[in-house]
Amino acid sequence: MKKKLIAANWKMNGSLQANEALTRGLIAGLGAPTCEVALCVPAVYLAQMQDLLSDGTMSLGAQDISEHEAGAYTGEISTTMLREFGVRYVIVGHSERRQYHAESDALVARKVQRALAGGITPIVCVGETLAQREAGQTVEVVKRQLAAVIHANGHCISEIVVAYEPVWAIGTGKTASAEQAQQVHAVLRLQLQAATAHAERVPIVYGGSMNAANAAELLAQADIDGGLVGGASLKVQDFLSIVSCAAQ
Ligand code: PGA
């Protein structure tokens, strides 16, 4: 069985002081985790976090990258820059970026290409809105989002992480039931299998109000290989509980 991945998405939260307290608390409580743990932090804190994570217990992640390598792109951050800070993962295509920054499927696919070319593992987010779910379009939407990434990345697709994050479950306290999540994960797994002989290698993690109370059931599903955790990743005990569910 492959190791599960629990990735924290701190979003636009943190301060030098809060990051240090949270990270030291996690390191003290983690011991030697039997799953992979990553912290995806705001870019301005990468240097601080590289230092705090230098013992290697947890991996460092970023929350976005530019589709470009360098040049006149004010405000953007390249893969090469992230690599200088030991970044191993980058979230790409989070629904908040698709929604507030108009990121299209095509742009997300190009960012994934850029991350893979630069040796950083993209955590590619897909997920439907409530209106899309209610209209019965969940499968169509997530397949379309993943298809764009598969199309642009060919055989490299086995090097990505997929995060299924139903938009209606993000930050709302409404989690997809384990059954609802598993159904979508199974669809994504089949889609990956059609694209690569190494689909089993691709972790498909769940995100959307994952917490200490619901993590065990979600993580017990056949095709749920971990979690992308927002709100609960900002609290030491909650995040440690989720990690311990994944470590079983
Ligand atoms: P949440 O966020 O756990 O706060 O719902 C998850 C995410 O957006 O990655």
PDB file of all heavy atoms in Angstrom, residues 9 11 94 96 165 169-172 207-210 228-232, ligand 1:
ATOM      1  N   ASN A   9      -3.034  23.180   3.569  1.00  0.00           N
ATOM      2  CA  ASN A   9      -3.143  24.373   2.736  1.00  0.00           C
ATOM      3  C   ASN A   9      -3.438  25.537   3.681  1.00  0.00           C
ATOM      4  O   ASN A   9      -4.571  25.726   4.097  1.00  0.00           O
ATOM      5  CB  ASN A   9      -4.273  24.196   1.712  1.00  0.00           C
ATOM      6  CG  ASN A   9      -4.484  25.442   0.867  1.00  0.00           C
ATOM      7  OD1 ASN A   9      -3.703  26.393   0.952  1.00  0.00           O
ATOM      8  ND2 ASN A   9      -5.530  25.445   0.054  1.00  0.00           N
ATOM      9  N   LYS A  11      -3.467  28.552   3.040  1.00  0.00           N
ATOM     10  CA  LYS A  11      -4.101  29.674   2.339  1.00  0.00           C
ATOM     11  C   LYS A  11      -3.416  30.989   2.768  1.00  0.00           C
ATOM     12  O   LYS A  11      -2.221  30.989   3.055  1.00  0.00           O
ATOM     13  CB  LYS A  11      -5.608  29.688   2.588  1.00  0.00           C
ATOM     14  CG  LYS A  11      -6.238  28.322   2.284  1.00  0.00           C
ATOM     15  CD  LYS A  11      -7.718  28.334   2.188  1.00  0.00           C
ATOM     16  CE  LYS A  11      -8.208  26.937   1.839  1.00  0.00           C
ATOM     17  NZ  LYS A  11      -9.612  26.865   1.574  1.00  0.00           N
ATOM     18  N   HIS A  94      -6.289  25.502  -7.526  1.00  0.00           N
ATOM     19  CA  HIS A  94      -7.236  25.501  -6.406  1.00  0.00           C
ATOM     20  C   HIS A  94      -8.497  26.262  -6.822  1.00  0.00           C
ATOM     21  O   HIS A  94      -8.413  27.244  -7.575  1.00  0.00           O
ATOM     22  CB  HIS A  94      -6.589  26.156  -5.178  1.00  0.00           C
ATOM     23  CG  HIS A  94      -7.410  25.957  -3.947  1.00  0.00           C
ATOM     24  ND1 HIS A  94      -8.503  26.733  -3.664  1.00  0.00           N
ATOM     25  CD2 HIS A  94      -7.317  25.048  -2.948  1.00  0.00           C
ATOM     26  CE1 HIS A  94      -9.054  26.303  -2.534  1.00  0.00           C
ATOM     27  NE2 HIS A  94      -8.352  25.280  -2.080  1.00  0.00           N
ATOM     28  N   GLU A  96     -10.187  28.385  -5.377  1.00  0.00           N
ATOM     29  CA  GLU A  96     -10.153  29.818  -5.056  1.00  0.00           C
ATOM     30  C   GLU A  96      -9.379  30.590  -6.126  1.00  0.00           C
ATOM     31  O   GLU A  96      -9.685  31.751  -6.416  1.00  0.00           O
ATOM     32  CB  GLU A  96      -9.548  30.027  -3.651  1.00  0.00           C
ATOM     33  CG  GLU A  96     -10.553  29.603  -2.573  1.00  0.00           C
ATOM     34  CD  GLU A  96      -9.949  29.099  -1.286  1.00  0.00           C
ATOM     35  OE1 GLU A  96      -8.746  29.317  -1.036  1.00  0.00           O
ATOM     36  OE2 GLU A  96     -10.683  28.461  -0.504  1.00  0.00           O
ATOM     37  N   GLU A 165     -11.610  18.332  -4.615  1.00  0.00           N
ATOM     38  CA  GLU A 165     -12.126  19.283  -3.635  1.00  0.00           C
ATOM     39  C   GLU A 165     -13.458  19.841  -4.106  1.00  0.00           C
ATOM     40  O   GLU A 165     -13.497  20.825  -4.873  1.00  0.00           O
ATOM     41  CB  GLU A 165     -11.134  20.446  -3.460  1.00  0.00           C
ATOM     42  CG  GLU A 165      -9.797  20.028  -2.904  1.00  0.00           C
ATOM     43  CD  GLU A 165      -9.138  21.174  -2.124  1.00  0.00           C
ATOM     44  OE1 GLU A 165      -9.035  22.290  -2.667  1.00  0.00           O
ATOM     45  OE2 GLU A 165      -8.764  20.949  -0.981  1.00  0.00           O
ATOM     46  N   ALA A 169     -17.786  22.159  -0.395  1.00  0.00           N
ATOM     47  CA  ALA A 169     -17.328  21.616   0.890  1.00  0.00           C
ATOM     48  C   ALA A 169     -16.143  22.396   1.457  1.00  0.00           C
ATOM     49  O   ALA A 169     -15.734  22.165   2.587  1.00  0.00           O
ATOM     50  CB  ALA A 169     -16.927  20.143   0.721  1.00  0.00           C
ATOM     51  N   ILE A 170     -15.611  23.344   0.672  1.00  0.00           N
ATOM     52  CA  ILE A 170     -14.390  24.036   1.104  1.00  0.00           C
ATOM     53  C   ILE A 170     -14.725  25.153   2.083  1.00  0.00           C
ATOM     54  O   ILE A 170     -15.466  26.083   1.750  1.00  0.00           O
ATOM     55  CB  ILE A 170     -13.619  24.596  -0.109  1.00  0.00           C
ATOM     56  CG1 ILE A 170     -13.104  23.444  -0.957  1.00  0.00           C
ATOM     57  CG2 ILE A 170     -12.470  25.484   0.348  1.00  0.00           C
ATOM     58  CD1 ILE A 170     -12.410  23.863  -2.231  1.00  0.00           C
ATOM     59  N   GLY A 171     -14.205  25.011   3.280  1.00  0.00           N
ATOM     60  CA  GLY A 171     -14.362  26.066   4.291  1.00  0.00           C
ATOM     61  C   GLY A 171     -15.784  26.243   4.780  1.00  0.00           C
ATOM     62  O   GLY A 171     -16.100  27.202   5.478  1.00  0.00           O
ATOM     63  N   THR A 172     -16.660  25.325   4.430  1.00  0.00           N
ATOM     64  CA  THR A 172     -18.077  25.484   4.774  1.00  0.00           C
ATOM     65  C   THR A 172     -18.490  24.613   5.947  1.00  0.00           C
ATOM     66  O   THR A 172     -19.577  24.772   6.483  1.00  0.00           O
ATOM     67  CB  THR A 172     -18.966  25.067   3.581  1.00  0.00           C
ATOM     68  OG1 THR A 172     -18.638  23.707   3.234  1.00  0.00           O
ATOM     69  CG2 THR A 172     -18.731  25.958   2.376  1.00  0.00           C
ATOM     70  N   GLY A 207     -10.143  16.959  -0.358  1.00  0.00           N
ATOM     71  CA  GLY A 207     -10.109  18.214   0.390  1.00  0.00           C
ATOM     72  C   GLY A 207     -11.489  18.835   0.456  1.00  0.00           C
ATOM     73  O   GLY A 207     -12.273  18.734  -0.499  1.00  0.00           O
ATOM     74  N   GLY A 208     -11.767  19.480   1.556  1.00  0.00           N
ATOM     75  CA  GLY A 208     -13.065  20.139   1.745  1.00  0.00           C
ATOM     76  C   GLY A 208     -13.587  19.818   3.126  1.00  0.00           C
ATOM     77  O   GLY A 208     -14.214  18.778   3.330  1.00  0.00           O
ATOM     78  N   SER A 209     -13.254  20.710   4.093  1.00  0.00           N
ATOM     79  CA  SER A 209     -13.698  20.530   5.482  1.00  0.00           C
ATOM     80  C   SER A 209     -13.284  19.180   6.073  1.00  0.00           C
ATOM     81  O   SER A 209     -14.006  18.619   6.893  1.00  0.00           O
ATOM     82  CB  SER A 209     -15.202  20.731   5.599  1.00  0.00           C
ATOM     83  OG  SER A 209     -15.553  22.055   5.230  1.00  0.00           O
ATOM     84  N   MET A 210     -12.127  18.672   5.656  1.00  0.00           N
ATOM     85  CA  MET A 210     -11.618  17.483   6.343  1.00  0.00           C
ATOM     86  C   MET A 210     -11.200  17.914   7.750  1.00  0.00           C
ATOM     87  O   MET A 210     -10.581  18.966   7.931  1.00  0.00           O
ATOM     88  CB  MET A 210     -10.425  16.872   5.607  1.00  0.00           C
ATOM     89  CG  MET A 210      -9.951  15.564   6.244  1.00  0.00           C
ATOM     90  SD  MET A 210      -8.528  14.823   5.402  1.00  0.00           S
ATOM     91  CE  MET A 210      -9.341  13.710   4.259  1.00  0.00           C
ATOM     92  N   LEU A 228      -6.129  17.124   1.538  1.00  0.00           N
ATOM     93  CA  LEU A 228      -5.635  18.506   1.418  1.00  0.00           C
ATOM     94  C   LEU A 228      -6.483  19.297   2.411  1.00  0.00           C
ATOM     95  O   LEU A 228      -7.701  19.406   2.246  1.00  0.00           O
ATOM     96  CB  LEU A 228      -5.814  19.015  -0.016  1.00  0.00           C
ATOM     97  CG  LEU A 228      -5.319  20.435  -0.307  1.00  0.00           C
ATOM     98  CD1 LEU A 228      -3.854  20.620   0.069  1.00  0.00           C
ATOM     99  CD2 LEU A 228      -5.511  20.771  -1.790  1.00  0.00           C
ATOM    100  N   VAL A 229      -5.821  19.787   3.452  1.00  0.00           N
ATOM    101  CA  VAL A 229      -6.544  20.262   4.628  1.00  0.00           C
ATOM    102  C   VAL A 229      -6.348  21.759   4.796  1.00  0.00           C
ATOM    103  O   VAL A 229      -5.216  22.232   4.927  1.00  0.00           O
ATOM    104  CB  VAL A 229      -6.019  19.532   5.895  1.00  0.00           C
ATOM    105  CG1 VAL A 229      -6.881  19.894   7.096  1.00  0.00           C
ATOM    106  CG2 VAL A 229      -5.982  18.024   5.681  1.00  0.00           C
ATOM    107  N   GLY A 230      -7.441  22.520   4.796  1.00  0.00           N
ATOM    108  CA  GLY A 230      -7.359  23.961   4.976  1.00  0.00           C
ATOM    109  C   GLY A 230      -7.475  24.330   6.446  1.00  0.00           C
ATOM    110  O   GLY A 230      -6.511  24.260   7.210  1.00  0.00           O
ATOM    111  N   GLY A 231      -8.684  24.702   6.856  1.00  0.00           N
ATOM    112  CA  GLY A 231      -8.919  25.227   8.206  1.00  0.00           C
ATOM    113  C   GLY A 231      -8.297  24.383   9.318  1.00  0.00           C
ATOM    114  O   GLY A 231      -7.637  24.924  10.224  1.00  0.00           O
ATOM    115  N   ALA A 232      -8.478  23.080   9.245  1.00  0.00           N
ATOM    116  CA  ALA A 232      -7.998  22.220  10.340  1.00  0.00           C
ATOM    117  C   ALA A 232      -6.474  22.107  10.368  1.00  0.00           C
ATOM    118  O   ALA A 232      -5.905  21.633  11.361  1.00  0.00           O
ATOM    119  CB  ALA A 232      -8.622  20.826  10.231  1.00  0.00           C
TER     120      ALA A 232
HETATM  121  P1  PGA B   1     -10.896  23.480   4.095  1.00  0.00           P
HETATM  122  O1  PGA B   1     -10.039  23.866   2.798  1.00  0.00           O
HETATM  123  O2  PGA B   1     -10.280  22.254   4.698  1.00  0.00           O
HETATM  124  O3  PGA B   1     -10.818  24.685   4.983  1.00  0.00           O
HETATM  125  O4  PGA B   1     -12.301  23.210   3.616  1.00  0.00           O
HETATM  126  C1  PGA B   1      -9.500  22.881   1.965  1.00  0.00           C
HETATM  127  C2  PGA B   1      -8.859  23.529   0.763  1.00  0.00           C
HETATM  128  O5  PGA B   1      -9.408  24.507   0.241  1.00  0.00           O
HETATM  129  O6  PGA B   1      -7.782  23.093   0.300  1.00  0.00           O
END
